[in-house]
Amino acid sequence: PLSVKAGRQDIKLGDGWLVLEGTPIDGSRTFYLDAVRATYALESVKSNLDLIYIDQSANTDGFPQPLNGKTEDQTEQYETGVIAYLRNRSLLKDTDLDGYFIWKNNNPNYTSRNYRVNNGYPFPSPPDNGEVYAVGARIESKPIAKWTLKAEAAGEWGSTRNYLGAPQQDLSAFGLNGRAMYNFNDSKANRLHLDLEYLSGDDPNTDTYEAFDPLWGRWPQWSELMIYQWPLDNRVAQATNLLRLNAGWMIKLHPTTEFTLDYHALWALEESVRVPTSAYGNQNQLGNISQDGKFRGNLFTAWLRTKLNKNVSGHLVAEYLDPGNFYASFRQDNSYFLRAEITLTF
């Protein structure tokens, strides 16, 4: 009943909300985590217990060396972590129940590369310093015909220093992510969904740091465009200080092809940023927000995904952001994202 995997590997827990991406600043070229993962199957109660140890380097200077001989940053700090994750499928009918504990320790990577080039776009990317503890739970259920409900919530505590020169602060944060989906069960597999996501933001008037830490969840979970918007008040792909309401529709246009259309209304919970002063180099993110509103904007996304056969697949994605009054006036230009991709698998 016991399996063990050691080395460089992909790890996705639940929907990947907090654990999926170990290398967020290489432009999603890689997702790996350097880890040891032991999974014990408790078949009598239809449960699995994962115990995971993570040792993630901030750059590619370790083993194995990159083929081009160059050192590149993968994340802003050296990271170690421990995860205990329990999954159960027997307590409630047609329901998956997950519970977990996560510890993550951050050791800053203060190098000449602190002014990093992130997927071709250079910007200051300050490292974390401190440790985060998280306790959370996830549920996915089909309570009645045609309906699927899922939700995940986590509370965080610990201590953190967000940039060189910042004071060490106690951490106290909370996050929630949920979806209700209705499946028409028709020939086109039409589905409608409503999402709610709440990620606490830092109140600049307290000594505690309240911004939710997505841990190893810094990847484009619901938007490709927004991962480049986050550095205005945080870091690349680091969603926090967020209230998101989403309505979406999915349809299978052809046995090989699916289309998805989504609208997201986005708010900030606090008028705050990660780096409020110029203590970290010359960076002062306060200039990027208006401090006169909390609406991040209207986001529209569309995906066309196809899998022609076992060797050929692809997608077309288009996104549009109409920025709101949370951002400073010179940061309120409309944003567009378009990508076409063909994948050959052999």
Side-chain angles (χ1 to χ4, degrees), residues 101-114:
F101 168 81
I102 300 174
W103 169 75
K104 181 173 182 277
N105 184 73
N106 300 300
N107 184 18
N109 179 29
Y110 292 129
T111 72
S112 60
R113 292 186 304 278
N114 276 344

Side-chain angles (χ1 to χ4, degrees), residues 17-18 98 100 135-139 151-155 174-178 212:
W17 187 49
L18 297 182
D98 302 351
Y100 53 85
V135 172
R138 178 182 180 273
I139 182 171
E152 184 170 352
F174 176 78
L176 170 68
N177 193 10
F212 187 77

